[in-house]
Amino acid sequence: MYSWNTTIDDTSSAILFTPYSEGPIESGWAGWFQGSVTQFASTGGEQAIGDSLHITSFPGASLQLQFNGTAIYLYGKANCTYTITLDNQFIAVPLSLPDGLLFYQESLAPTTHSVQLTAQPDVNSTQQLDFDQAIFTNTIDQDTNGLVPVVYENWNGTLQYSGNWANLSGVNWIPNTQDPAPYVETNQSLSSVSLTFTDGVAIAVNGPRNWGHWTYNISLDGEVTSWNCSTLWGIGDTVLFYENSLDPTKQHTIEMINTGTQDYYKLSLNYFTVYALDNSNGSVASTSSTTASVSSSTAPLPPSIATGKKTDVGVIVGPVLAGVVILALTLFAALWWWRRRRPAPRQDPVAPFPKNDRPEIWVKGQEAGISRNPMVRVYEPIQAPIVSVKRSAARTSISAPSVPSAETHASDSGLSVSQTRLLPSHSQQPSISNSQSTGAPASMPTLDVNQLVELIAQRIDPRTNIPQGDAPPQYPASSY
């Protein structure tokens, strides 16, 4: 069995923000970038620079992620309460968490899960919640030396293009400022790009997100899902789609389709990444990379992509790949020799809390030079549902408890974490009684003798009480 961690940043389309992902934080979520000019986008398409957060101070704002794995970790900071729903079940938030961690759950079944975080800041307050990233643990029931990422750049001949795509370059922040590269873009509805591959256990699609981008569909082996790529920022590269439950023994096909209905709605692509198992000391990496560089003569590529790219890339990649393989084999041999000289250590589990070097939490007014008090992390438990308890048959007076009572909640993750919530005590509580007063009234009404005789007669012959002219009661119709 082999496990690895996958990080999904807050800029990814895989995170669903509600009611919206970009806008005023008082009514939803807003993207924040540490190194950008205004930190919050002031104009559409502002370049996103530095570490990012999604921030909200709106009660009820939520984020949702669907993942396939055995553990989930949500990172960020908050000075307000929030709730967690995992697979439609409310999960109590532990009172004590490592700094920068909003929630985590381990020992999950190796299947598809859905996690949702809902912020509950006080109305008209400075409370807010900042979401940074999600990390989940992937597990495959096979022994392997690791995963080999096989990258299919947007100009690779293996990709099948349909519709009108343009090969664009010259944007120094796509995919990033350190290594800008060409990308492809379409504004034609239903234009698509697809890839057929084998040996993969996971697949990722990366591309830019920018002002003017809209919706798209992903079809993976015939299963179609819809996504939203719109944003106020110019983000050079982020995960547009990720799936890690693939069978490496089967062939898979993935297709990305532009579903924007107007010519000003765009969709862009940087590259596909197939993650293959490394079961033979590097041979999978060599074979997969070779497969990735093979071009198809029938692949309908954009004209600017199909000219002069494959030969140049092959000449460059061949020697580099050979050197990488030789270096990898050398390092593996050295590592093998070193391990034989010392006792085998106990294998550590996947680190649950990766290093968090994100910026300090943003405080409203900070960009204008307004100083605020430091934010205090407050974690309050989810309010337990009120359970109706039937009263006993014998109704007697109930007195209120004289001391506060406590409720203890245990986490479903198997963690030995408990939390205590004090319930307010009541000095006085109404009494509940079923007894009735039997005392005689102060005075009794006086009955005339004639009235008494009449009452006795009515008791003996009640027919005199029947109103005249009323019809007799109706009986139900015979069923025979």
Side-chain angles (χ1 to χ4, degrees):
M1 181 173 290
Y2 177 75
S3 297
W4 72 98
N5 283 340
T6 298
T7 299
I8 303 294
D9 193 65
D10 68 291
T11 59
S12 172
S13 300
I15 306 289
L16 176 62
F17 293 94
T18 303
Y20 53 74
S21 62
E22 299 290 348
I25 64 174
E26 294 80 9
S27 304
W29 296 87
W32 176 93
F33 286 85
Q34 182 185 29
S36 296
V37 176
T38 60
Q39 294 187 331
F40 287 95
S42 58
T43 59
E46 180 180 344
Q47 182 182 349
I49 303 174
D51 293 323
S52 64
L53 295 170
H54 261 77
I55 301 174
T56 187
S57 61
F58 177 62
S62 66
L63 63 91
Q64 184 177 9
L65 171 67
Q66 183 171 297
F67 66 97
N68 189 297
T70 56
I72 179 68
Y73 311 91
L74 301 180
Y75 289 85
K77 292 186 178 182
N79 66 346
C80 64
T81 60
Y82 53 94
T83 60
I84 297 291
T85 303
L86 182 62
D87 298 334
N88 297 321
Q89 299 292 326
F90 281 102
I91 305 296
V93 179
L95 292 177
S96 178
L97 286 170
D99 185 48
L101 186 65
L102 296 171
F103 172 75
Y104 75 102
Q105 185 82 10
E106 298 172 323
S107 302
L108 299 175
T111 185
T112 300
H113 303 278
S114 178
V115 62
Q116 178 175 309
L117 182 151
T118 303
Q120 300 291 350
D122 293 339
V123 179
N124 298 325
S125 70
T126 59
Q127 294 182 351
Q128 65 184 39
L129 184 144
D130 301 355
F131 175 71
D132 185 2
Q133 61 185 6
I135 297 179
F136 56 91
T137 302
N138 313 261
T139 302
I140 186 170
D141 192 17
Q142 293 189 31
D143 293 329
T144 179
N145 297 324
L147 293 182
V148 178
V150 183
V151 178
Y152 295 80
E153 297 286 358
N154 58 75
W155 60 80
N156 189 286
T158 308
L159 304 183
Q160 301 279 337
Y161 286 89
S162 175
N164 295 328
W165 291 80
N167 182 23
L168 303 178
S169 60
V171 181
N172 63 358
W173 46 269
I174 296 179
N176 54 68
T177 55
Q178 290 77 23
D179 186 22
Y183 64 100
V184 293
E185 186 173 277
T186 182
N187 62 350
Q188 183 184 49
S189 181
L190 302 183
S191 292
S192 65
V193 54
S194 63
L195 169 67
T196 299
F197 60 95
T198 56
D199 300 327
V201 296
I203 177 72
V205 183
N206 281 61
R209 295 183 65 184
N210 204 343
W211 177 252
H213 285 185
W214 200 234
T215 58
Y216 59 97
N217 285 352
I218 295 289
S219 173
L220 179 59
D221 297 334
E223 183 177 348
V224 180
T225 53
S226 299
W227 306 89
N228 192 331
C229 202
S230 62
T231 179
L232 293 176
W233 292 95
I235 303 171
D237 186 70
T238 190
V239 176
L240 302 181
F241 177 81
Y242 179 81
E243 178 60 50
N244 61 288
S245 60
L246 304 182
D247 186 347
T249 65
K250 296 182 178 180
Q251 178 175 280
H252 304 281
T253 298
I254 185 171
E255 182 179 24
M256 183 170 68
I257 307 165
N258 180 29
T259 56
T261 56
Q262 303 295 333
D263 57 6
Y264 47 78
Y265 291 144
K266 303 174 183 178
L267 178 65
S268 303
L269 171 69
N270 285 338
Y271 51 89
F272 291 85
T273 304
V274 175
Y275 294 89
L277 298 178
D278 182 8
N279 292 326
S280 53
N281 300 331
S283 63
V284 172
S286 176
T287 302
S288 299
S289 297
T290 302
T291 304
S293 63
V294 174
S295 61
S296 173
S297 59
T298 60
L301 296 177
S304 57
I305 298 177
T307 57
K309 290 291 183 182
K310 289 174 283 188
T311 302
D312 295 339
V313 171
V315 171
I316 296 174
V317 170
V320 173
L321 180 60
V324 170
V325 171
I326 294 174
L327 179 60
L329 291 175
T330 303
L331 292 176
F332 177 79
L335 181 61
W336 176 84
W337 176 82
W338 178 73
R339 285 187 173 181
R340 284 181 58 89
R341 296 192 57 188
R342 68 182 184 92
R346 180 177 62 87
Q347 186 175 2
D348 293 332
V350 178
F353 310 122
K355 180 181 178 181
N356 184 13
D357 55 357
R358 297 290 176 166
E360 292 299 322
I361 191 168
W362 173 86
V363 181
K364 286 195 288 186
Q366 179 174 316
E367 75 281 1
I370 303 175
S371 61
R372 300 281 186 177
N373 294 329
M375 308 191 93
V376 180
R377 297 170 64 248
V378 180
Y379 300 98
E380 294 187 4
I382 299 174
Q383 297 296 327
I386 299 175
V387 181
S388 176
V389 180
K390 294 183 179 180
R391 294 188 178 94
S392 60
R395 299 180 182 177
T396 57
S397 299
I398 301 175
S399 60
S402 59
V403 295
S405 60
E407 295 180 358
T408 301
H409 302 269
S411 174
D412 294 337
S413 65
L415 301 174
S416 57
V417 178
S418 62
Q419 57 190 27
T420 301
R421 180 166 61 92
L422 296 180
L423 300 179
S425 60
H426 301 276
S427 59
Q428 188 175 8
Q429 184 169 340
S431 298
I432 300 175
S433 176
N434 196 32
S435 60
Q436 297 181 356
S437 174
T438 58
S443 63
M444 294 292 292
T446 304
L447 293 178
D448 186 75
V449 174
N450 294 330
Q451 288 179 325
L452 181 61
V453 172
E454 180 66 17
L455 289 174
I456 295 173
Q458 290 177 2
R459 291 284 185 177
I460 296 173
D461 186 11
R463 289 177 297 177
T464 59
N465 294 331
I466 300 176
Q468 299 297 321
D470 286 355
Q474 297 293 323
Y475 291 92
S478 175
S479 60
Y480 294 98

